[in-house]
Amino acid sequence: LRWAINKANANPNESIIDFNIPGTGPITITLNTTLAPITKTVTIDGTTQPGYDFNDPGNPMIIITGNGLMTGLVFNSCQRVKVSGIHLKNFYAGLALNFCNYGEIINNVITGSSSVSLHLVSSHFNTIKGNYIHVNKTLANPGTICEEGIFIQSSNDNIIGGLNCREGNTIGYIRSEGIDNYSNVGQRNRYAGNCLFENDIAYSPRYEILLRGGNGGKLPPVITTAACDVAGTSQANNTIELFGSS
């Protein structure tokens, strides 16, 4: 894996890292030192490892494990990166996108990260869906501390989850928020279909998802009556939609 990443960084064109490791899976790749940050367009495709079941995406055949002191996969200033079918385990931070756009992080498992499982910094138009964050498909309490689940800083127009089957991310037992849109700069991120439970367990009040400064920093409207007529207060130029069902 280290050799493949170094080759990808030296390649001016797009690279694909696939897997065909002999043996009965899951296959564990143990890192003793940090991998080089990835700086080029690359696809890391764990679904190519024999035994991967596309009907069971919560059970990757490739496990990459660390010593708890390093970040698993780091992408710096690159476009259209893709990671799928990988289990990142026992890192300080599982996966980081720094100044990366139009990437896809799909159907991975990230567990045992003590700081943050998935971190976006100034990264835009990325799709993050179908991942298990700090839990595996059993949804059992891992018994370890992870401070942040998906931590989004100064990043816009990302899609977190989805409306179709298995597109939502499953996030549980995070010490702080399951999803934290941290700063006022992070705008137009879309969250849909995610399953969040037992997060923010160390704080009160508890937030499964915390959107700080979303909507351009505007205050939310206050609805006092919602019947045939709608009454309340709102800042100028807000669009307010009401939905109901019987």
Side-chain angles (χ1 to χ4, degrees), residues 11-166:
N11 183 5
N13 301 312
E14 180 176 352
S15 299
I16 298 175
I17 298 175
D18 56 17
F19 298 85
N20 187 14
I21 302 173
T24 302
I27 301 296
T28 298
I29 299 172
T30 301
L31 302 180
N32 296 315
T33 58
T34 305
L35 295 169
I38 296 168
T39 58
K40 299 291 179 63
T41 298
V42 62
T43 295
I44 301 178
D45 189 357
T47 71
T48 57
Q49 175 64 26
Y52 183 84
D53 184 355
F54 285 92
N55 293 315
D56 186 16
N59 188 31
M61 289 293 102
I62 295 294
I63 302 173
I64 303 173
T65 185
N67 57 12
L69 302 178
M70 64 182 82
T71 299
L73 293 174
V74 180
F75 297 86
N76 290 341
S77 301
C78 44
Q79 309 293 313
R80 302 183 309 281
V81 300
K82 298 179 182 179
V83 180
S84 61
I86 298 291
H87 185 172
L88 295 167
K89 183 178 181 181
N90 295 338
F91 291 97
Y92 177 74
L95 189 150
L97 297 178
N98 303 314
F99 301 92
C100 296
N101 306 320
Y102 300 100
E104 297 181 4
I105 310 299
I106 299 176
N107 292 341
N108 302 284
V109 178
I110 305 176
T111 61
S113 302
S114 59
S115 175
V116 56
S117 292
L118 205 162
H119 195 185
L120 278 70
V121 178
S122 297
S123 296
H124 316 301
F125 300 99
N126 297 286
T127 298
I128 298 171
K129 64 183 181 182
N131 301 286
Y132 286 87
I133 304 294
H134 199 52
V135 291
N136 59 26
K137 66 178 184 177
T138 69
L139 307 185
N141 189 332
T144 57
I145 293 176
C146 178
E147 185 64 30
E148 296 277 0
I150 299 178
F151 193 43
I152 301 169
Q153 291 182 279
S154 304
S155 300
N156 306 323
D157 301 291
N158 297 288
I159 298 173
I160 314 297
L163 297 178
N164 296 319
C165 180
R166 295 178 178 166

